[in-house]
Amino acid sequence: MQREYIKIKKPAPLPFDTRQLKTLDDEFWKNWVFYYLLDFYKNYDSAELKSKIEGEKKNKPARIEREIAKFLRIKLNANKAFGSHFYAFGENTNDEAVEGNYDITIHSTNWKSKNFHFECKNLDGSQDLTDKYVCCNTYKKDNSGQNIFDGGVLRYFNGKYAQNLNFGGMIGFVLNGNNNNIKAEIIKKLNEKFHISPEGDLISTKDNSIEENLFTFESLHSRQNEEFTIHHLLFDFVK
C-alpha cells in the first residue's frame, strides 16, 4: 500500500569504494537513514501492523510501542538495499521483559558516527503521551528524595542518550488524534524549560524538515554549551 502524500527522494548514490564511504559526512548518512524510514512509512502493510497491535492489546500489560518499534526494525532489515549498508537493532537486554536503552538504533560500519539512535513513543493527542514524548514527572523519588523526571526527548539531555553525538531522533507512533495538532502540542511542550535547564533548552525548530513532509520537524537544543539536533518523525498509523 503506497501512501502518495509522503514525499520521498533518493539521496546521492553511495559509492562502491569503502575508502570513499568512510569519508562521507553525517548529513549524507542521515539522508539515507531518512530515505529508508520514509520508504517504510510509505509502503508498510497497515493490515499487518494493525493485526500485531490488536494481538499485543491482549497482553497485560500491552506494550504496543515496543511491538511497533520491533515491526519497524524487522521491516528495515528485510530490505536488501538497506541491509547493504545498515542494520537496525534495539532492546539490547538479555531479559526481553526489560526495556533497552534505545528503541531503534541504525548502524553502519562505514559511518564515522556509527549509530543513529531513535527513541519511539506512542501518541494519541493526550497531554499524558505528549509529556512522555518530551518530559514528564514520574513522581518517583531518587536517593536524595527528589522527583525523577523522564521522557523521550529529555533522555538526550540528562546523560542517558547519544552523549558522543550531536544529533538523535524521535519517532512518534500516532495511534489516535490529528497529526498536525499533535505536532503543535509537542513543539509547545518543547518550549517549556526542563528541570535541568539550561540543558536541553530549545533554541529553534524547523518545520517539515525531511523532504518537506508535514509529519516531520527538527528541534535544536542547547547541550553542554553546544548545539544538539533532534529529528522528529510522526508516523500516523490511524490512516
Side-chain angles (χ1 to χ4, degrees):
M1 175 183 177
Q2 284 203 345
R3 295 158 183 86
E4 297 301 328
Y5 62 91
I6 297 173
K7 301 174 186 178
I8 181 170
K9 182 177 69 176
K10 254 187 180 176
L14 285 153
F16 179 77
D17 191 323
T18 301
R19 291 168 297 183
Q20 293 181 37
L21 287 171
K22 292 182 182 297
T23 67
L24 299 173
D25 63 18
D26 289 342
E27 293 307 308
F28 187 97
W29 288 104
K30 284 197 288 184
N31 284 336
W32 271 103
V33 171
F34 296 145
Y35 169 79
Y36 285 116
L37 288 173
L38 292 176
D39 181 66
F40 159 82
Y41 187 36
K42 191 177 184 72
N43 297 293
Y44 80 92
D45 186 331
S46 59
E48 182 183 6
L49 179 57
K50 286 178 180 177
S51 175
K52 290 186 177 296
I53 292 173
E54 291 304 314
E56 183 60 26
K57 286 180 179 178
K58 298 175 184 178
N59 295 326
K60 303 296 180 184
R63 304 179 70 181
I64 295 171
E65 176 185 296
R66 184 178 180 180
E67 190 65 23
I68 298 174
K70 180 180 177 182
F71 177 83
L72 202 166
R73 294 195 307 267
I74 289 172
K75 294 303 179 183
L76 287 175
N77 289 328
N79 184 330
K80 290 184 179 179
F82 175 87
S84 296
H85 291 283
F86 299 102
Y87 179 69
F89 61 92
E91 295 293 345
N92 294 321
T93 62
N94 292 324
D95 183 352
E96 283 300 305
V98 177
E99 294 286 355
N101 278 340
Y102 300 104
D103 295 306
I104 299 173
T105 292
I106 297 179
H107 173 83
S108 174
T109 56
N110 293 313
W111 184 3
K112 63 183 179 182
S113 291
K114 303 298 184 185
N115 295 318
F116 196 163
H117 303 297
F118 291 88
E119 175 76 355
C120 301
K121 292 293 182 185
N122 290 339
L123 293 164
D124 62 4
S126 68
Q127 189 63 52
D128 177 56
L129 290 189
T130 298
D131 290 348
K132 288 177 179 177
Y133 182 99
V134 180
C135 175
C136 63
N137 189 342
T138 67
Y139 296 101
K140 297 177 182 177
K141 304 290 185 181
D142 61 19
N143 292 334
S144 62
Q146 299 297 311
N147 285 341
I148 297 173
F149 285 78
D150 198 11
V153 171
L154 176 65
R155 293 176 184 178
Y156 287 107
F157 306 107
N158 64 2
K160 288 185 178 181
Y161 283 5
Q163 294 305 293
N164 297 320
L165 301 170
N166 63 2
F167 64 90
M170 294 290 302
I171 303 178
F173 302 146
V174 179
L175 304 178
N176 199 6
N178 179 277
N179 212 335
N180 290 333
N181 292 342
I182 288 171
K183 181 167 72 169
E185 288 303 310
I186 290 172
I187 293 174
K188 179 181 176 181
K189 180 70 178 178
L190 287 172
N191 275 283
E192 297 178 9
K193 298 287 188 182
F194 291 142
H195 69 295
I196 52 174
S197 178
E199 288 295 286
D201 283 359
L202 183 66
I203 298 171
S204 64
T205 59
K206 179 182 178 182
D207 210 4
N208 311 336
S209 56
I210 304 174
E211 299 299 337
E212 299 183 347
N213 282 292
L214 299 178
F215 55 88
T216 70
F217 70 99
E218 66 182 42
S219 54
L220 184 65
H221 302 258
S222 174
R223 190 175 79 172
Q224 297 180 1
N225 298 316
E226 296 182 353
E227 293 182 346
F228 187 90
T229 301
I230 300 180
H231 302 277
H232 303 257
L233 301 95
L234 307 181
F235 288 170
D236 188 346
F237 294 134
V238 179
K239 295 181 180 179

